[in-house]
Amino acid sequence: FSFALAEWLRETLLTGFPWNPVGFGLMPVPLLMQSVGVVGMIGMNSLAVFLFATPALLAGRRHRVTGIVIAFIVLATHAGYGFYALSREDGPATTLNVRIVQPNIDLAEKWDETVRDRIFKSELDLSRQPPAPGRQKPALIVWPETSIPFLFQEHPDGLRMIGEMLQEGQLLLAGVARAEGSGDSALYYNSIVAIDDKGEIVDAVDKVHLVPFGEYVPFESLFERIGINQFVSGPMNFVAGARRHPLAVPGGFSALPYICYEIIFPTLMMDQPPPKSFILNVTNDAWFGNTPGPYQHLRQAQIRAVETGLPVVRAANTGISAFIDNKGRVLDGLAINSQGFLDAEVAIPQESPADA
């Protein structure tokens, strides 16, 4: 109970940071992830601590047999339910052809004006590559978080070039830094924009849950006086968006947008997603470097897929980009620190999981 409470507080206090909760120890593979869809992360945290503490009963005399039997039943039920959930047939689904672009932009070059044209050209070239033989052209192309290395106000030709790259009926969902206003009064947002084949921005959604000291500095004037700035240097401080809404995708589909670490918060998942929905997660994990961070971040997306019953399309700048089905299985992915694109037919439930 205490561990579950501590994990809930870690998710809630000071904007929250539920990274690698203890319950993840019980969910290393999709077979052992399915129970989270029933008991949630709080329940998984409690069960994990109970099971991991069971060997301590061997050192005592009281409750030894009872505790070990209960632990065995819990573990068997956990694994048995996973087997049942993975073997159970899903409801009706329709497919959407999606391309993920992984540009592998060096963090040191990301906002360098001398190389931004090269970066942008590489993203356009990857997006316009023909699909593999036997595959249809993607209706949706996804670029990672802040993948466009300039503000559209400073480079209006960028929208025209995207429109020329897109074929008729295609839509691009791209991570951008978006500005409102100009000069010292400008506000900057970490956003996803939807761009159609005419090179027009038809929709946009801003990141709601920002990373403290990474994307903004809370109580900025106070911390600046004692020499504390952003831990991850960038060209601007971001402002949080007001709300999140689904993005319309060709074919009547809806993308539920989560930017970077928003995917790690179970409480941010939409309670009533519209029919034909999938989770869209764009991120830039380059600042993790060569650490377990990108792999841990991917695991969080897998868990959200199981909790919500929705597939995940994950586009990451340096990796790990992946298509994840609604049971947390990685269907295909791009290796970390590699450049390329990935095409897939994503099976998307026709009904909202909340209504099914």
Side-chain angles (χ1 to χ4, degrees):
F1 174 81
S2 299
F3 261 92
L5 177 60
E7 291 287 16
W8 177 79
L9 291 172
R10 186 157 70 96
E11 180 184 325
T12 307
L13 295 179
L14 301 176
T15 80
F17 190 64
W19 190 274
N20 284 359
V22 67
F24 274 26
L26 268 185
M27 298 186 284
V29 293
L31 175 70
L32 300 176
M33 293 178 185
Q34 306 309 309
S35 300
V36 74
V38 179
V39 301
M41 273 311 308
I42 298 299
M44 292 305 299
N45 291 334
S46 300
L47 292 175
V49 173
F50 170 72
L51 288 173
F52 298 153
T54 300
L57 293 173
L58 298 174
R61 295 181 179 179
R62 300 181 60 193
H63 311 302
R64 179 189 301 176
V65 175
T66 302
I68 291 174
V69 168
I70 292 174
F72 178 80
I73 292 172
V74 169
L75 186 59
T77 303
H78 174 53
Y81 179 76
F83 180 81
Y84 162 75
L86 291 179
S87 60
R88 183 179 55 192
E89 289 190 8
D90 291 327
T94 51
T95 59
L96 173 66
N97 289 283
V98 183
R99 169 169 293 180
I100 295 172
V101 170
Q102 183 169 298
N104 197 31
I105 303 169
D106 188 327
L107 205 59
E109 293 183 343
K110 191 174 181 89
W111 300 104
D112 187 342
E113 294 186 5
T114 63
V115 296
R116 70 181 187 183
D117 290 340
R118 170 175 61 78
I119 291 172
F120 189 51
K121 181 179 182 302
S122 72
E123 294 169 333
L124 294 172
D125 289 343
L126 289 169
S127 300
R128 61 166 57 99
Q129 292 298 312
R135 284 193 179 276
Q136 298 181 2
K137 74 172 184 180
L140 175 67
I141 300 173
V142 182
W143 291 4
E145 179 187 17
T146 57
S147 52
I148 296 178
F150 47 75
L151 298 172
F152 281 124
Q153 291 94 321
E154 300 172 353
H155 198 327
D157 250 12
L159 284 172
R160 176 187 61 78
M161 296 169 71
I162 289 173
E164 292 174 351
M165 176 272 294
L166 292 172
Q167 299 179 39
E168 184 177 356
Q170 285 184 322
L171 183 77
L172 172 68
L173 294 180
V176 302
R178 188 177 70 84
E180 287 185 359
S182 59
D184 294 338
S185 62
L187 300 177
Y188 298 96
Y189 297 87
N190 187 351
S191 308
I192 300 172
V193 294
I195 303 173
D196 66 11
D197 57 9
K198 299 180 182 63
E200 297 177 354
I201 296 176
V202 295
D203 203 353
V205 64
D206 303 319
K207 188 174 183 181
V208 175
H209 199 121
L210 299 177
V211 181
F213 299 102
E215 293 174 307
Y216 78 105
V217 179
F219 309 108
E220 185 173 9
S221 58
L222 172 64
F223 280 113
E224 280 185 347
R225 284 185 211 148
I226 57 177
I228 295 179
N229 298 300
Q230 285 176 261
F231 294 157
V232 182
S233 61
M236 62 205 66
N237 276 349
F238 288 115
V239 176
R243 67 181 184 88
R244 182 181 292 101
H245 66 270
L247 295 168
V249 174
F253 297 94
S254 295
L256 310 181
Y258 296 91
I259 299 175
C260 192
Y261 94 141
E262 287 184 322
I263 197 72
I264 78 174
F265 292 90
T267 53
L268 293 186
M269 299 294 109
M270 296 183 184
D271 292 330
Q272 292 289 335
K276 299 175 68 174
S277 294
F278 64 96
I279 293 173
L280 174 72
N281 180 214
V282 299
T283 186
N284 177 21
D285 290 350
W287 61 274
F288 276 122
N290 187 22
T291 70
Y295 300 91
Q296 295 170 352
H297 206 183
L298 174 66
R299 179 65 54 81
Q300 309 263 3
Q302 291 178 263
I303 302 301
R304 298 292 90 78
V306 178
E307 285 177 335
T308 60
L310 297 174
V312 175
V313 174
R314 185 176 196 268
N317 169 33
T318 55
I320 305 166
S321 299
F323 292 105
I324 305 167
D325 75 3
N326 62 343
K327 294 178 180 176
R329 295 172 291 203
V330 176
L331 304 177
D332 205 353
L334 286 166
I336 194 166
N337 297 325
S338 66
Q339 185 184 75
F341 66 90
L342 196 62
D343 291 341
E345 289 185 358
V346 181
I348 299 172
Q350 291 185 9
E351 298 179 346
S352 169
D355 300 327

